[in-house]
Amino acid sequence: MIYRESGQFKTSYAADQAMFPIRQDRIFIALLLVAAVAVVPVVVSEYAIRSILMPFLILSIAAIGLNLLLGYCGLISLGTAAFMAVGAFSAYKLATGIPDLPIVLNFILAGLVTAVVGMAFGLPSLRIKGFYLAVTTLAAHFFVEWTITKFGWFTNYSPSGVISAPPLDVFGIAIDSTTEKYWFVLAWVLVLAVLAKNLVRSSVGRAWMAVRDMDVAAAVIGVPILKTKLLAFAVSSFYCGIAGALYVFAYIGTVEPQAFDLNRAFQVLFMVIIGGLGSILGSFFGAAFIVTLPIFITLAAAPFGGQIPAEVLSNLELIIFGILIVFFLIVEPLGLARLWQIGKEKLRLWPFPH
Amino acid sequence: MAGRRQFGEVILSVENIGLSFGAVQALSGVSLEVRKGQIFSIIGPNGAGKTSLLNCINGVYHPQQGQISFKGQMRARMEPHQAAAQGIARTFQNVALFRGMSTLDNIMTGRNLKMRRGFLWKALWWGPAEREELAHRAQVERVIDFLEIEAIRKTPVGRLPYGLQKRVELGRALAAEPEMLLLDEPMAGMNLEEKQDMCRFILDVNDEFGTTICLIEHDMGVVMDLSDHVVVLDYGRKIADGPPEQVRRDPRVIDAYLGAAH
Ligand SMILES: Nc1ncnc2c1ncn2[C@@H]1O[C@H](COP(=O)(O)OP(=O)(O)OP(=O)(O)O)[C@@H](O)[C@H]1O
Ligand SMILES: [Mg+2]
């Protein structure tokens, strides 16, 4: 009876339309925030922050981006990694070309560049859907990959194609310790998650979902289809672009196209499917799940004392992904987010299940 | 009521439209005039072209011949969202709700056209953007009250029974505050009580807001009760046009219906 909304009567539409209408949810989120900002850097080892939390947070942004496009607007894309690459290289070119540009502004500009590229590749979505759109975005992926490796301009003519990212500083404060980078990334995650949540609960999100669910009816009620789809591509790509910039600047520290191969696109796609299509929270669940799964598999294999070869383990990972994807697509298309919600509904009735 | 009411100027005029799909001639040489404030029914046997006619009126289909003008504006090739912007809303023969969304969100979508704030404002959900959302929420609540669907506000529409889905779809169209409402068999598959409710809603909308209504319906009792004017289609052609009592007696109409029954 701890998690209940009884007695919390909403007396205004504002309260009902709030981001977290239930008080317990608000408390939970507030605690989570305090923990993420203040407790984690103290309690969690630097190694764990660097190798688990950073990829989790950064890929969450990409997952939110793809979820806006696929989960909310119903447009499949395999271009996620390419858009991340566009963001990463735009940020790199901006940082080296205009050294005085504040990093926040730099990332926003990089996101905007990615948004424009995303819209260009989103144009075919007016005519094609589903599988064919997936193929078009796949072509976009290879096109971007080719362009970046082919033209030395993007890598400032570095012979190896691998360059270290310029150091980060925010308004003159250098961001170089792991904790500082963690806070920097966390700030982006929080802001972008809140903006995404606002979008999806507004007229913009309703237009996206309307197009996803029934495009003829959406058009008839006055939703401009092309504009709505292109906006979804733009916003989604903006998120992926920022994720890409953070990935190279705050996480791996080198700017290399290999960080954004097709596997990355599928990885983010799996995050969205497992986490929950059409859920911002689910994007976090999915990212957490996919980032930590290999660790759990390694832990589970530990008792066998290294008898299991590494290739088998990584194949095992793929097999588990495969099974889970099939499971979620067939049984629970709304993913972990839906399971979370069901859990909450159960909790709401507990301890009297009837 | 038919014939006793006075109506305003012509709001919709369809002139000699023809529409074909390959060899299938869905509409040929259909003309009609709908006056402001009328309840205008389109009837005819299955496959007569009724739905196609509505689709032409709000830009889902583009007739190969003829012209359509709404509120005196002639249109060349109109897209559905332009028709919506001009004040035409509609429901579909097969429920066309946004299945993944709640009743509330479905109806809120009906107000999207009226919202002015762009996506940057909406991303911030602040000041004018929030006020706009809340003001429209209040409007939508009036539609919800009117249709007596308060209890299913938050229910995903996919889980609702068919009759309620049709009601929500009407709500979504009403939320747009249309000048003209196109209803494609709004009572198909409903039980008697649900039909009576639906009739009441249609009459109330017409009465209270002066909304012009274009109705396709197979239930003759309903058509005769509600309509101010009836047009009959058969094989894509208009075979009768007039007040309900006149149309009912028209031998060609009786023929078409008896013919269809055989
Ligand atoms: N998109 C389409 N493509 C091909 N043929 C179509 C299409 N839409 C309608 N038709 C054809 O046009 C004719 C008229 O169809 P329409 O749906 O307008 O009839 P209707 O009067 O609404 O019938 P019902 O009472 O069964 O709803 C039919 O022969 C139908 O097969
Ligand atoms: Mg029909």
Side-chain angles (χ1 to χ4, degrees):
Chain A
M1 300 276 270
I2 299 166
Y3 185 79
R4 292 201 36 195
E5 54 175 310
S6 65
Q8 301 179 30
F9 298 108
K10 292 165 200 126
T11 47
S12 70
Y13 297 136
D16 195 40
Q17 302 274 78
M19 192 176 300
F20 301 105
I22 299 174
R23 190 192 303 134
Q24 283 86 342
D25 281 349
R26 285 197 294 274
I27 296 171
F28 175 74
I29 294 289
L31 289 176
L32 198 64
L33 274 183
V34 172
V37 174
V39 183
V40 165
V42 182
V43 179
V44 180
S45 76
E46 217 172 273
Y47 173 76
I49 292 183
R50 235 182 302 133
S51 61
I52 302 172
L53 286 180
M54 294 294 261
F56 156 65
L57 288 173
I58 295 170
L59 291 173
S60 295
I61 297 178
I64 292 174
L66 180 61
N67 215 333
L68 293 177
L69 187 65
L70 175 61
Y72 285 92
C73 201
L75 298 168
I76 181 104
S77 163
L78 292 175
T80 314
F83 298 144
M84 289 176 76
V86 172
F89 279 88
S90 305
Y92 170 68
K93 286 302 288 183
L94 283 165
T96 48
I98 318 169
D100 290 337
L101 189 66
I103 198 70
V104 175
L105 198 58
N106 175 335
F107 281 18
I108 290 174
L109 287 175
L112 291 177
V113 171
T114 319
V116 171
V117 173
M119 274 204 280
F121 287 117
L123 274 173
S125 71
L126 183 67
R127 291 266 168 247
I128 54 181
K129 292 182 199 177
F131 176 74
Y132 296 97
L133 185 58
V135 173
T136 324
T137 55
L138 190 62
H141 173 91
F142 290 118
F143 178 77
V144 168
E145 204 170 50
W146 175 81
T147 311
I148 289 173
T149 36
K150 168 88 185 171
F151 299 102
W153 182 82
F154 290 102
T155 49
N156 285 354
Y157 305 99
S158 132
S160 64
V162 177
I163 349 133
S164 50
L168 282 175
D169 76 284
V170 176
F171 306 119
I173 305 159
I175 308 260
D176 35 36
S177 77
T178 300
T179 308
E180 285 161 347
K181 283 184 182 164
Y182 166 77
W183 278 329
F184 181 67
V185 170
L186 188 64
W188 281 99
V189 171
L190 294 178
V191 170
L192 289 175
V194 168
L195 296 182
K197 187 77 195 167
N198 286 343
L199 278 178
V200 300
R201 66 190 170 128
S202 74
S203 51
V204 177
R206 288 191 295 273
W208 285 342
M209 292 187 278
V211 167
R212 172 195 70 190
D213 285 349
M214 182 75 67
D215 53 0
V216 176
V220 160
I221 204 68
V223 174
I225 304 290
L226 177 61
K227 214 175 127 199
T228 304
K229 285 181 174 178
L230 288 185
L231 182 62
F233 264 102
V235 176
S236 167
S237 309
F238 179 84
Y239 275 66
C240 293
I242 302 257
L246 286 170
Y247 200 86
V248 296
F249 277 71
Y251 175 46
I252 54 175
T254 55
V255 189
E256 51 185 34
Q258 292 80 3
F260 308 109
D261 61 3
L262 199 54
N263 284 335
R264 179 80 56 219
F266 277 106
Q267 188 189 30
V268 178
L269 180 64
F270 292 164
M271 288 174 179
V272 171
I273 293 174
I274 291 179
L277 289 164
S279 162
I280 302 296
L281 186 63
S283 311
F284 286 103
F285 288 155
F289 186 87
I290 291 207
V291 168
T292 54
L293 184 67
I295 300 164
F296 284 119
I297 292 178
T298 315
L299 285 180
F304 302 101
Q307 282 164 349
I308 308 175
E311 313 89 76
V312 176
L313 282 184
S314 60
N315 278 328
L316 192 64
E317 194 183 311
L318 289 178
I319 293 169
I320 294 180
F321 276 160
I323 294 172
L324 282 169
I325 298 284
V326 172
F327 169 81
F328 277 111
L329 283 180
I330 294 175
V331 182
E332 192 50 83
L334 301 178
L336 292 171
R338 177 71 190 138
L339 296 181
W340 169 257
Q341 204 186 346
I342 292 173
K344 283 206 304 189
E345 274 163 25
K346 290 241 161 72
L347 190 60
R348 197 175 294 181
L349 299 174
W350 184 84
F352 308 111
H354 295 294
Chain B
M1 60 151 61
R4 271 176 274 122
R5 307 205 301 166
Q6 291 297 310
F7 301 106
E9 73 278 21
V10 173
I11 184 169
L12 173 79
S13 118
V14 171
E15 284 166 53
N16 202 24
I17 61 166
L19 174 76
S20 59
F21 301 99
V24 179
Q25 190 73 29
L27 294 169
S28 36
V30 175
S31 302
L32 51 85
E33 282 190 340
V34 180
R35 290 181 176 277
K36 204 168 168 48
Q38 266 183 335
I39 298 183
F40 189 103
S41 288
I42 301 164
I43 64 172
N46 289 99
K50 304 180 295 292
T51 301
S52 302
L53 180 56
L54 286 201
N55 280 335
C56 290
I57 293 174
N58 77 332
V60 178
Y61 291 166
H62 304 282
Q64 287 96 353
Q65 281 107 46
Q67 300 164 328
I68 299 177
S69 60
F70 181 66
K71 292 195 285 186
Q73 263 178 289
M74 186 73 72
R75 25 163 132 149
R77 189 188 164 89
M78 140 126 8
E79 295 305 322
H81 73 266
Q82 296 167 324
Q86 284 201 356
I88 303 181
R90 102 156 238 210
T91 68
F92 292 81
Q93 184 166 355
N94 309 308
V95 177
L97 285 172
F98 309 127
R99 292 185 66 85
M101 298 159 71
S102 66
T103 297
L104 180 64
D105 280 342
N106 265 277
I107 301 179
M108 283 291 278
T109 310
R111 296 202 66 82
N112 261 26
L113 255 185
K114 303 226 177 283
M115 302 209 189
R116 290 283 158 263
R117 296 290 163 185
F119 80 100
L120 287 176
W121 276 107
K122 291 299 165 91
L124 296 176
W125 192 270
W126 173 78
E130 184 181 15
R131 279 199 297 279
E132 179 182 75
E133 287 281 331
L134 297 180
H136 286 280
R137 168 76 193 267
Q139 294 286 325
V140 163
E141 287 295 332
R142 287 172 49 196
V143 173
I144 289 179
D145 285 347
F146 173 74
L147 294 175
E148 298 153 17
I149 47 177
E150 295 91 342
I152 56 164
R153 215 186 250 120
K154 296 287 175 73
T155 315
V157 290
R159 285 197 220 152
L160 296 174
Y162 183 75
L164 279 179
Q165 291 194 3
K166 291 223 126 181
R167 208 183 275 197
V168 174
E169 207 190 2
L170 176 63
R172 184 179 66 191
L174 287 180
E177 296 178 53
E179 283 180 61
M180 178 166 216
L181 188 56
L182 312 177
L183 303 173
D184 197 346
E185 303 196 17
M187 284 163 252
M190 286 189 168
N191 63 32
L192 186 62
E193 193 185 337
E194 288 171 330
K195 275 190 186 181
Q196 284 170 344
D197 283 340
M198 190 54 89
C199 285
R200 181 160 54 84
F201 295 137
I202 293 172
L203 284 173
D204 283 354
V205 169
N206 177 251
D207 205 43
E208 281 180 37
F209 310 111
T211 312
T212 311
I213 289 171
C214 246
L215 172 74
I216 297 178
E217 186 46 57
H218 278 298
D219 185 323
M220 276 312 128
V222 167
V223 170
M224 295 302 149
D225 278 355
L226 296 186
S227 318
D228 300 303
H229 197 99
V230 180
V231 154
V232 189
L233 294 184
D234 192 23
Y235 293 111
R237 293 178 184 282
K238 186 172 82 170
I239 58 167
D241 185 341
E245 57 274 19
Q246 176 193 324
V247 164
R248 184 175 19 201
R249 291 192 302 269
D250 192 316
R252 288 205 292 169
V253 176
I254 297 168
D255 262 6
Y257 270 88
L258 289 179
H262 284 293

